[in-house]
Amino acid sequence: MKLNLKQLSSEERTARLKAALDAGDRLGLITSIDGDQLIMLLLSPGKRSIDCYETPVAGGTYKSATAMVPQAHWFERTTWDMFGLVPEGHPRLKRTHLHEPYTLTSPPLSHERRKAIEKTIQPESGDRRHAGDRSYHFLGVEGQGVYEIPVGPIHAGIIEPGHFRFSCYGEIILNLEIRLGYVHRGIEKRLSEVPWQRGRFVAEAAASDMPVANSLAHATAVEYLLQIEVPRLALYLRSIALEIERIAMHLSDLGGLAGDIGFLAIASSMGRLRGVALRMGELLSGNRLMRGFICPGGVVSASMRVAEEIAQLARQLKQELKPVVAFYMDNQVAVDRMEGVGVVRSSLAREFGLVGVAARASGDRYDCRNYWNHGAYPNVDLEPANETSGDVFARAKVRISEIETSLKLLINFLDDLKEGSFLVSLPDRLEANSSSVAIVESHRGELIHFIHTDARGEIQRYCIKDASVNNWTALAIAVRNNVVADFPLCNKSFSLSYSGHDL
Amino acid sequence: MLRLLKYLINRGIVTNKAVPELLDDNITGFPKATDVPCVSECQACTESCPTGAIEITREKSIAIDRGACITCKECIRVCPSGTLINDTSVASFAFTREDLFRPAPAKAETGPDRSIFSKSLAVRVVSTGCSACDLELAAASNPIFDMERFGIHVVASPRFADALVVTGPVPKSMHEPLLSCYEAMSDPKLVIALGTCAISGGVHKNGYTEANGVGPLLPVDIFIPGCPPHPWQIIKGILAARRLNGRIRKEDQG
Ligand code: SF4
Ligand code: SF4
């Protein structure tokens, strides 16, 4: 939706945030536009309203909210890294994106004036907040018999890069610190450099196991700034694509989980079923992952002919899924491996603002499809998945139930398709000096795209907040007191994105 | 357990027997210029391309760089004369960067296949991109495409790898890890750049993260373009390693 930036003084900021969360609202994101201010999005799903607060930041520092509101911690670290804004009093201020090899002397997203100020700051001895100091120190756990296992950034299989530092006592994980940022490609900056009409190709590459979610969020946010209405057929096709993507990825994650347990018959069966889902995507868009399908104004192509074929495949998938799920969930050995492992309590889920599958496995029913405008939502009746035990098993069950819901939705959408136009022509310019936001329920959870335009109607700031940003910390906490060998299982059950976080 | 076995056996073999030469018609491949003359002075395709992959040369011929193309189909969509068409060739890989400017052969030549890699190739994957290339590479080993039957298997350490497969544009933080992975591999070794990002940086090139692909860091033996490439294109490309007779690099011989 279009946003009105409301002014909020730095004294009131933390209190307002705390009060909103206590009232059941959610923290969408904290970032900056060009390094002169903090932007804070507070979401009220119940009221379907979003408040966007702007707080001027003088002198490049502000008071950290992390001690009061733990879920602010990662946003504040990233804002420091990308804009040079220092959160005073942050308990563990470390870089998130720009590692030691970077020789940048100023933060990449701040405007030229701020960059100049930044350059004049001398690195005082011991003041690690200077832009040039990129050293990183892992939290050390000390004591007799405590040892560290460093893993990554390159992992054993076909996996994205990231570094895990385990501090263990025997087989037990005492602490896990996750260092990300290895695939930081500069997506947000690039999105403010290319003409907005081409932004979708960059947005899609943010995390391409979810190109539909990212292109949908991009298109929706851009459409608010163009003030256009998208035809009904396009909205439906977008939702169809999003559900296909969810089905394919949930199947792939369930398969991966089975693989980590060593239940290879299920892993390969899930792989085969995912093939059916990809086939649907291919029919819809000509591309297995549906890249390039959604564009501002609608979708690039539409054929009523394939709708019946896709519906056929969806019904086939529904049938074929049943026995595989039964073999999986009735297998006592498999269940034993998943139950009670990697538990996230519901209080923690709330405190860290978890989203997506991880939240719904810990008793939170937040599902963006019920609240925020994207595709054909929120005008569908959707019962969100809900489990409460917060363990690997709960997350697996949430995925299974969501595949079933998605198949149902998919078939309904396909039945309900009506011929019509699927693309409208676009104005040349985005509205100047405006902000908009789009929130999409990707298969990982809440995905936010935020755009701010300058006086010429060019994109000045493009911010993406992947669901993984909220959830990585939960993984680090969930594995505490579990055995090292269960880490792959926990990791897979969260199925977070490295590229989506790193951008 | 027996019920599960019975279920699996009843599913039969799902693997596609042969690697096809062409993908299905409806799948988006690379754009290809046909002999149909362009509308005079038309620049629609070059203007529409998000990565500058398509160019009309001074001699009025159309040069398409598959190594920069993200297969978005924009150029085909805007082409008023129908000069550009969708090319679904599976053999879209190339051995040199320059070869990516030539159209993919409709039928891949079958080489002598007698290199030391002809029966088995152990690949180590370093992922540095958006993970779609990784997904398709993983799909290439699933029961449907099953590249392991050709002797290609993904290994968990550079120590026993013959080929290094790189996906993604290799941003700055991954430069050093990638180089040390390459160092750790024994001779003879190959480098395969998988995906448009790995070949040219794709949509990320020339940014402050120096994500310009593998080229500036390591010598590349096989280029497999696409964003992401189709699993068949990946398998075809990796199989081409069978024609490379175990290059040993001079600088590595010391
Ligand atoms: S299909 Fe390739 S060449 Fe054509 S516009 Fe897209 S990126 Fe450029
Ligand atoms: S080539 Fe495309 S699919 Fe592959 S890593 Fe790059 S953006 Fe992702």
Side-chain angles (χ1 to χ4, degrees):
Chain A
M1 65 182 70
K2 278 276 304 283
L3 296 170
N4 289 323
L5 262 53
K6 295 182 197 159
Q7 297 296 319
L8 185 69
S9 74
S10 56
E11 293 77 41
E12 285 171 293
R13 209 179 64 90
T14 307
R16 178 67 54 90
L17 172 59
K18 184 93 176 65
L21 295 180
D22 288 346
D25 288 355
R26 309 187 65 98
L27 172 59
L29 59 86
I30 299 174
T31 186
S32 178
I33 290 173
D34 59 10
D36 273 349
Q37 66 296 91
L38 278 179
I39 295 291
M40 179 166 82
L41 281 190
L42 294 181
L43 320 179
S44 311
K47 286 187 257 150
R48 294 189 186 177
S49 72
I50 300 175
D51 286 322
C52 180
Y53 293 103
E54 178 180 2
T55 306
V57 176
T61 63
Y62 63 96
K63 203 165 159 298
S64 161
T66 297
M68 297 275 279
V69 182
Q71 56 178 298
H73 76 135
W74 204 271
F75 292 121
E76 293 187 341
R77 284 172 62 179
T78 303
T79 313
W80 172 53
D81 214 5
M82 304 309 281
F83 294 93
L85 297 182
V86 179
E88 295 284 358
H90 190 293
R92 272 184 216 166
L93 191 58
K94 300 179 190 189
R95 304 221 170 253
T96 51
H97 286 73
L98 305 168
H99 294 177
E100 290 91 342
Y102 282 91
T103 47
L104 302 167
T105 49
S106 55
L109 294 185
S110 58
H111 61 61
E112 296 307 318
R113 210 159 12 93
R114 248 211 80 70
K115 282 184 179 172
I117 305 171
E118 196 75 28
K119 279 201 187 105
T120 61
I121 304 176
Q122 286 305 314
E124 294 159 28
S125 57
D127 188 356
R128 292 192 41 248
R129 302 175 315 180
H130 179 254
D133 184 351
R134 316 216 153 270
S135 55
Y136 190 96
H137 305 278
F138 286 94
L139 181 77
V141 177
E142 285 169 13
Q144 200 177 14
V146 178
Y147 64 99
E148 283 191 349
I149 312 177
V151 182
I154 305 175
H155 298 293
I158 310 178
I159 314 168
E160 300 181 74
H163 184 95
F164 300 114
R165 184 69 61 97
F166 299 93
S167 298
C168 306
Y169 182 70
E171 278 298 300
I172 306 290
I173 302 171
L174 297 179
N175 186 54
L176 163 63
E177 182 162 344
I178 301 173
R179 188 180 191 197
L180 300 168
Y182 290 91
V183 271
H184 174 54
R185 292 142 291 159
I187 298 249
E188 292 182 327
K189 175 93 174 172
R190 188 50 48 100
L191 277 162
S192 64
E193 291 168 345
V194 297
W196 64 266
Q197 292 91 339
R198 289 186 190 167
R200 67 188 176 105
F201 303 113
V202 183
E204 242 174 27
S208 287
D209 47 6
M210 38 191 277
V212 174
N214 271 308
S215 55
L216 175 54
H218 172 263
T220 310
V222 165
E223 282 152 9
Y224 287 126
L225 294 178
L226 292 170
Q227 291 169 317
I228 52 168
E229 287 288 330
V230 179
R232 178 182 185 272
L233 177 61
L235 292 178
Y236 269 65
L237 290 172
R238 287 172 171 190
S239 275
I240 288 171
L242 191 65
E243 295 310 329
I244 294 177
E245 180 171 272
R246 189 182 331 275
I247 295 166
M249 288 313 298
H250 278 356
L251 284 171
S252 137
D253 289 333
L254 285 170
L257 205 57
D260 280 341
I261 295 174
F263 204 170
L264 297 183
I266 299 298
S268 71
S269 297
M270 290 290 180
R272 181 171 55 80
L273 295 180
R274 173 170 173 261
V276 181
L278 294 182
R279 176 86 192 121
M280 296 193 246
E282 196 177 275
L283 282 169
L284 187 67
S285 71
N287 181 294
R288 284 158 49 89
L289 305 173
M290 294 172 278
R291 288 191 74 153
F293 180 60
I294 296 174
C295 61
V299 294
V300 296
S301 60
S303 143
M304 300 304 266
R305 197 172 38 81
V306 297
E308 187 37 46
E309 233 176 302
I310 297 173
Q312 189 63 38
L313 285 172
R315 281 188 285 267
Q316 176 197 335
L317 189 56
K318 204 168 164 183
Q319 280 308 317
E320 290 207 31
L321 190 65
K322 268 189 210 137
V324 181
V325 166
F327 283 127
Y328 193 6
M329 293 293 134
D330 295 347
N331 187 305
Q332 202 49 49
V333 181
V335 173
D336 271 352
R337 280 286 271 128
M338 296 188 282
E339 244 172 356
V341 174
V343 177
V344 178
R345 288 187 203 300
S346 63
S347 55
L348 186 104
R350 229 174 309 119
E351 200 171 357
F352 279 91
L354 298 204
V355 294
V357 172
R360 292 189 287 275
S362 297
D364 188 337
R365 301 169 72 87
Y366 179 54
D367 185 320
C368 302
R369 288 175 291 176
N370 274 340
Y371 304 107
W372 310 116
N373 187 22
H374 57 290
Y377 324 105
N379 306 318
V380 287
D381 196 16
L382 183 121
E383 181 57 28
N386 195 22
E387 293 286 333
T388 48
S389 56
D391 53 3
V392 172
F393 191 38
R395 288 186 284 276
K397 284 192 285 188
V398 167
R399 280 185 214 282
I400 291 170
S401 114
E402 292 193 2
I403 295 175
E404 285 159 2
T405 316
S406 290
L407 281 168
K408 214 184 301 157
L409 280 177
L410 181 60
I411 294 170
N412 287 349
F413 285 142
L414 286 162
D415 282 348
D416 213 10
L417 281 186
K418 294 198 185 74
E419 296 247 16
S421 80
F422 55 86
L423 186 62
V424 292
S425 62
L426 304 177
D428 294 339
R429 277 170 171 283
L430 301 176
E431 200 177 313
N433 288 324
S434 306
S435 308
S436 73
V437 67
I439 305 181
V440 166
E441 183 71 26
S442 71
H443 71 268
R444 290 210 163 82
E446 177 198 79
L447 169 72
I448 301 183
H449 281 217
F450 166 85
I451 307 181
H452 182 80
T453 56
D454 63 12
R456 290 164 300 145
E458 311 263 341
I459 294 180
Q460 184 184 7
R461 169 79 174 126
Y462 198 113
C463 178
I464 300 178
K465 194 237 48 160
D466 191 87
S468 312
V469 174
N470 307 58
N471 290 5
W472 272 114
T473 314
L475 168 64
I477 298 175
V479 299
R480 282 185 196 160
N481 295 319
N482 283 259
V483 293
V484 181
D486 276 341
F487 173 72
L489 206 56
C490 294
N491 193 10
K492 200 66 286 132
S493 74
F494 279 90
S495 176
L496 302 174
S497 172
Y498 302 73
S499 49
H501 164 272
D502 293 353
L503 298 174
Chain B
M1 229 359 145
L2 285 177
R3 274 191 305 127
L4 177 57
L5 280 176
K6 188 164 161 238
Y7 167 81
L8 290 175
I9 290 167
N10 283 341
R11 286 282 121 353
I13 294 172
V14 295
T15 310
N16 282 313
K17 289 266 153 37
V19 180
E21 298 291 352
L22 293 174
L23 301 172
D24 289 354
D25 282 345
N26 67 328
I27 298 183
T28 308
F30 293 93
K32 181 163 118 183
T34 57
D35 294 338
V36 179
C38 293
V39 175
S40 97
E41 302 301 314
C42 174
Q43 291 280 346
C45 55
T46 52
E47 279 158 16
S48 71
C49 179
T51 58
I54 187 164
E55 206 188 325
I56 299 185
T57 62
R58 259 195 237 111
E59 299 79 45
K60 299 277 177 231
S61 70
I62 302 171
I64 299 166
D65 175 8
R66 288 206 302 289
C69 173
I70 56 168
T71 61
C72 70
K73 239 178 165 173
E74 281 301 287
C75 51
I76 302 177
R77 207 168 289 127
V78 298
C79 176
S81 52
T83 307
L84 293 175
I85 57 161
N86 183 32
D87 176 16
T88 55
S89 303
V90 170
S92 54
F93 69 90
F95 290 112
T96 64
R97 186 69 183 84
E98 293 71 43
D99 276 349
L100 288 172
F101 287 84
R102 298 189 193 99
K107 204 167 155 39
E109 54 196 279
T110 34
D113 282 13
R114 252 185 262 113
S115 85
I116 54 164
F117 302 128
S118 58
K119 292 283 186 289
S120 136
L121 185 77
V123 300
R124 172 76 175 143
V125 183
V126 174
S127 155
T128 74
C130 77
S131 84
C133 281
D134 307 329
L135 278 182
E136 291 302 61
L137 180 59
S141 354
N142 77 11
I144 297 168
F145 299 99
D146 193 18
M147 68 177 181
E148 289 214 14
R149 70 193 143 134
F150 303 112
I152 309 168
H153 47 280
V154 178
V155 295
S157 162
R159 289 293 187 208
F160 32 87
D162 305 312
L164 178 61
V165 172
V166 186
T167 67
V170 204
K172 203 167 172 81
S173 298
M174 281 308 285
H175 288 189
E176 208 190 297
L178 177 67
L179 291 174
S180 60
C181 179
Y182 180 74
E183 285 296 304
M185 290 167 63
S186 57
D187 280 351
K189 51 190 168 188
L190 298 173
V191 176
I192 302 175
L194 176 65
T196 296
C197 280
I199 296 172
S200 66
V203 293
H204 309 294
K205 68 171 168 253
N206 297 336
Y208 66 90
T209 58
E210 296 166 40
N212 300 322
V214 194
L217 301 163
L218 289 174
V220 178
D221 300 283
I222 301 174
F223 298 83
I224 309 175
C227 184
H230 192 277
W232 285 133
Q233 293 171 327
I234 295 178
I235 292 177
K236 198 75 160 184
I238 299 183
L239 281 177
R242 299 200 289 200
R243 270 179 273 157
L244 296 179
N245 214 347
R247 290 192 202 179
I248 297 180
R249 279 172 228 299
K250 290 224 168 50
E251 66 265 33
D252 292 341
Q253 276 175 342

